[in-house]
Amino acid sequence: MSIVLGTLLGYVLGRVVCLASRHLPLVYQTTRTTKDMPSPWKALDSTSTPLAVLVQLLMAFWGAYVGWRVGSLAAIFLIIVVTAILLAVTVVDFQTRRIPDVLILTLLVCAVLQVLLLTEPGLLAAGLGLLICGGIFYVIATLRHGAIGMGDVKLAAAIGALLGFPVALEGLFLGIVFGGLTAAVLLLTKRVGRKDPIAYGPYLALGAWIVLVQVWGLWPF
């Protein structure tokens, strides 16, 4: 039963991610340009394109895997929902160079539910993660104006609440490494200039998800 529920939830949330990639960028319509949006992400503007179908199938497969490995229904729900939100952050930030507040708030709600329902991380660890991770990125944003945006600061704070301190620092470190390597490649290949904005949200989301999979005990090996 858990596998079936996980599969259905994963598939539904995969469709939600595709719909979010179509509607949320309209909020930032003035900043959404052909240059800003990597062409593959345009294919998610519909739930019936090959890429969108692939996203839905992958989310369904992930849901089935989570349902198979995890016994608690609350944990299954939170793991799949958090994965979908991080995926939506990735897609929308690539499209618009913005991270909608609604996605950040939903992550924070998941962090609160995780503390209340799963008791891990603890309330103190989650609170410290939110304050310390958000604070670190706020300092970086202030000292290096334009390097990262306030959306990245809010995302770092939400990730801190999800993972708790000090585990969250590992996830953010991975995200910074992924983002830095990608920026270096883009600069070397002259696909962007030194002053061009680069979306860091997707890499922070990826780093956080990798660590979350470890914390959830879902590595297949």
Side-chain angles (χ1 to χ4, degrees), residues 6-86:
T7 302
L8 290 175
L9 181 60
Y11 176 75
V12 169
L13 290 178
R15 290 183 66 86
V16 171
V17 169
C18 295
L19 292 172
S21 75
R22 180 196 305 173
H23 296 293
L24 287 180
L26 297 178
V27 178
Y28 307 105
Q29 197 168 21
T30 57
T31 63
R32 186 182 184 184
T33 66
T34 303
K35 180 181 177 181
D36 285 337
M37 187 193 302
S39 57
W41 299 110
K42 297 178 184 179
L44 280 179
D45 279 358
S46 169
T47 56
S48 59
T49 61
L51 181 59
V53 171
L54 177 62
V55 167
Q56 294 165 62
L57 291 177
L58 287 175
M59 282 295 298
F61 177 80
W62 172 245
Y65 176 72
V66 172
W68 173 52
R69 291 289 303 272
V70 179
S72 166
L73 291 180
I76 291 171
F77 174 81
L78 285 172
I79 290 169
I80 298 174
V81 170
V82 167
T83 299
I85 297 169
L86 293 175

Side-chain angles (χ1 to χ4, degrees), residues 13-221:
L13 290 178
R15 290 183 66 86
V16 171
V17 169
C18 295
L19 292 172
S21 75
R22 180 196 305 173
H23 296 293
L24 287 180
L26 297 178
V27 178
Y28 307 105
Q29 197 168 21
T30 57
T31 63
R32 186 182 184 184
T33 66
T34 303
K35 180 181 177 181
D36 285 337
M37 187 193 302
S39 57
W41 299 110
K42 297 178 184 179
L44 280 179
D45 279 358
S46 169
T47 56
S48 59
T49 61
L51 181 59
V53 171
L54 177 62
V55 167
Q56 294 165 62
L57 291 177
L58 287 175
M59 282 295 298
F61 177 80
W62 172 245
Y65 176 72
V66 172
W68 173 52
R69 291 289 303 272
V70 179
S72 166
L73 291 180
I76 291 171
F77 174 81
L78 285 172
I79 290 169
I80 298 174
V81 170
V82 167
T83 299
I85 297 169
L86 293 175
L87 181 57
V89 166
T90 297
V91 174
V92 176
D93 197 17
F94 268 135
Q95 289 175 317
T96 65
R97 302 299 186 268
R98 298 289 190 277
I99 303 175
D101 287 341
V102 64
L103 296 179
I104 302 297
L105 289 173
T106 309
L107 271 183
L108 288 173
V109 170
C110 288
V112 172
L113 290 175
Q114 187 174 240
V115 170
L116 294 177
L117 299 178
L118 306 182
T119 67
E120 188 176 339
L123 180 59
L124 178 59
L128 287 174
L130 186 149
L131 293 174
I132 292 174
C133 294
I136 290 173
F137 270 69
Y138 180 78
V139 170
I140 295 173
T142 302
L143 296 179
R144 298 188 60 189
H145 182 68
I148 61 174
M150 288 306 299
D152 299 317
V153 175
K154 297 173 187 176
L155 178 61
I159 288 171
L162 274 170
L163 284 168
F165 181 82
V167 179
L169 296 179
E170 181 182 348
L172 294 180
F173 175 76
L174 284 177
I176 291 172
V177 170
F178 293 147
L181 290 175
T182 301
V185 171
L186 292 175
L187 287 170
L188 288 173
T189 56
K190 297 183 178 180
R191 295 186 62 183
V192 299
R194 290 185 177 275
K195 295 185 178 180
D196 290 335
I198 297 175
Y200 275 99
Y203 308 107
L204 296 178
L206 176 60
W209 186 78
I210 289 174
V211 175
L212 280 167
V213 170
Q214 291 178 316
V215 171
W216 292 327
L218 290 173
W219 283 120
F221 45 82

